[in-house]
Amino acid sequence: MIVQSAINHCSSIKTCNKPATDFTSIPVINLGDPESKFLMVKACEKYGFFKVVNHRVPMEFITRLESEALGFFNLSQSEKDKAGPPDPFGYGNKRIGSNDDLGWIEYLLLNTNPQVLSLKTLTVFRENPEIFRSAVNDYIQAVKTMAYEVLGLIADGLKIEPRDALSKLLRDENSDSCFRLNHYPPCPELEALSGRNLVGFGEHTDPQIISVLRSNNISGLQICLKDGTWVSVPPDETSFFINVGDVLQVMTNGRLRSVKHRVLANTQKSRVSMIYFGGPPLREKIVPLTSLMGKQEESFYKEFTWSEYKTSAYKSRLADHRLGLFEKTPSTSQ
């Protein structure tokens, strides 16, 4: 009965039976390395993805927030539902976005403004809301600082002027950034019957400038290489992974590519991840940076605001080529 119940519950969620090879060539960037700015650019050009070590984010911030997150996700479903549905902030379960994308996931989406925390979430943490708020704020502020440094180094590596052309968009008080805590519960029943892996979060690119990801020591993250091959990223609970987002791809006129990625659920163990999505202000016009454009070089993209792109992206399906609507056709780019 338990097996059949699980299968019925998962029947509308995609499975994946194509094994992916381990990504043994993942670029590892030490933030203390004088060559890090060049290594970052190379990694972003080739993969749109790299791992950061020597990041100076205190481990106590990481472990404290993971503990708080697990405390929430281990609550009864009725208690968790009090923090949902997301609007967009709050608790979500299985359903991803508004276009019927489903995954084997539950999550909390939070505003990164330390003055704003979802009232829905606080109702769930009513016994210790300040402890949760403090854990979230400490973690986000530390990760933000690292994200500013990473973007500054990428700007240095690309010789972008001014150096803060990218990081200032995240520092802006109107920056439209967000933070998500993901939980992928185990589902051993499905594998027992089908031998397939359950898709926890379907393939997609992140719309923002960059994403800063940290997870526990459970595998599941996969990225797609330029040749279409899916590779599994070995977990590292002490390090961070950086994804190039769609906006950074446009701002570099395609030199840096946003990375398509997905998450497969583990059949035996639960996976917890924390992602900071660094976004620009809603009214920010997104165009290739002048300092990166050659004299005769033209933009591959139409000009748009982050608000316009965000609205379009979140109306689409996860796997859609979201930037396609904003690319110039050959006839309009000549």
Side-chain angles (χ1 to χ4, degrees), residues 170 176-178 205-211 243-249 258 276-280 306 309-310 314 322:
L170 271 57
D176 185 46
S177 299
C178 60
T205 59
D206 293 336
Q208 292 88 353
I209 299 174
I210 63 167
S211 306
N243 291 356
V244 171
D246 294 341
V247 167
L248 186 53
Q249 176 172 321
S258 58
Y276 165 71
F277 298 97
W306 166 238
Y309 187 64
K310 180 181 177 181
Y314 285 98
R322 294 165 166 172

Side-chain angles (χ1 to χ4, degrees), residues 147-155 163 166-167 170 209-210 248:
Y148 303 154
E149 182 177 2
V150 166
L151 288 177
L153 288 167
I154 290 175
R163 184 180 188 272
L166 300 173
S167 62
L170 271 57
I209 299 174
I210 63 167
L248 186 53

Side-chain angles (χ1 to χ4, degrees), residues 57-320:
V57 176
M59 279 303 299
E60 66 176 283
F61 289 2
I62 296 172
T63 56
R64 183 160 62 113
L65 181 55
E66 182 175 312
S67 176
E68 290 295 318
L70 284 171
F72 171 79
F73 291 124
N74 287 332
L75 292 172
S76 67
Q77 192 61 51
S78 61
E79 283 295 299
K80 289 184 288 190
D81 286 340
K82 293 178 182 178
D87 59 356
F89 303 113
Y91 172 74
N93 185 21
K94 305 292 192 299
R95 188 170 297 280
I96 303 168
S98 58
N99 284 306
D100 300 321
D101 284 303
L102 297 175
W104 189 249
I105 184 176
E106 56 180 347
Y107 64 89
L108 276 173
L109 185 64
L110 306 173
N111 193 306
T112 58
N113 186 330
Q115 306 304 318
V116 180
L117 194 59
S118 171
L119 293 177
K120 293 180 180 179
T121 307
L122 288 177
T123 62
V124 173
F125 288 90
R126 57 186 178 277
E127 294 183 2
N128 57 355
E130 291 309 313
I131 293 177
F132 175 64
R133 184 195 293 270
S134 174
V136 169
N137 288 348
D138 286 347
Y139 180 89
I140 288 177
Q141 290 307 311
V143 169
K144 277 183 177 180
T145 299
M146 180 182 63
Y148 303 154
E149 182 177 2
V150 166
L151 288 177
L153 288 167
I154 290 175
D156 282 344
L158 290 172
K159 298 182 180 179
I160 293 173
E161 297 179 357
R163 184 180 188 272
D164 68 347
L166 300 173
S167 62
K168 71 178 181 180
L169 300 178
L170 271 57
R171 292 178 184 271
D172 193 297
E173 62 179 8
N174 294 314
S175 169
D176 185 46
S177 299
C178 60
F179 178 65
R180 194 171 65 219
L181 293 163
N182 289 334
H183 179 230
Y184 302 91
C187 188
E189 296 88 356
L190 189 71
E191 186 188 47
L193 288 186
S194 69
R196 298 184 178 189
N197 289 309
L198 198 62
V199 175
F201 206 112
E203 62 182 74
H204 64 288
T205 59
D206 293 336
Q208 292 88 353
I209 299 174
I210 63 167
S211 306
V212 183
L213 163 72
R214 181 266 168 189
S215 71
N216 62 355
N217 208 30
I218 303 300
S219 62
L221 176 64
Q222 297 183 343
I223 67 169
C224 188
L225 304 182
K226 287 183 177 180
D227 64 2
T229 302
W230 283 97
V231 292
S232 295
V233 178
D236 183 347
E237 60 186 346
T238 65
S239 303
F240 288 87
F241 296 94
I242 306 294
N243 291 356
V244 171
D246 294 341
V247 167
L248 186 53
Q249 176 172 321
V250 173
M251 294 182 74
T252 60
N253 205 31
R255 180 170 172 179
L256 308 187
R257 306 291 294 184
S258 58
V259 60
K260 184 182 292 185
H261 55 289
R262 67 187 180 190
V263 175
L264 302 184
N266 190 287
T267 57
Q268 301 296 329
K269 299 177 181 179
S270 64
R271 183 174 186 271
V272 177
S273 63
M274 315 166 179
I275 310 101
Y276 165 71
F277 298 97
L282 289 171
R283 295 183 179 180
E284 185 71 24
K285 291 182 178 179
I286 309 301
V287 294
L289 295 167
T290 304
S291 59
L292 283 181
M293 301 285 283
K295 290 184 178 180
Q296 303 300 320
E297 185 178 356
E298 295 189 24
S299 172
F300 296 144
Y301 306 95
K302 305 170 187 176
E303 181 179 300
F304 55 87
T305 65
W306 166 238
S307 177
E308 290 169 337
Y309 187 64
K310 180 181 177 181
T311 299
S312 173
Y314 285 98
K315 284 182 178 178
S316 66
R317 299 294 299 271
L318 275 178
D320 288 348

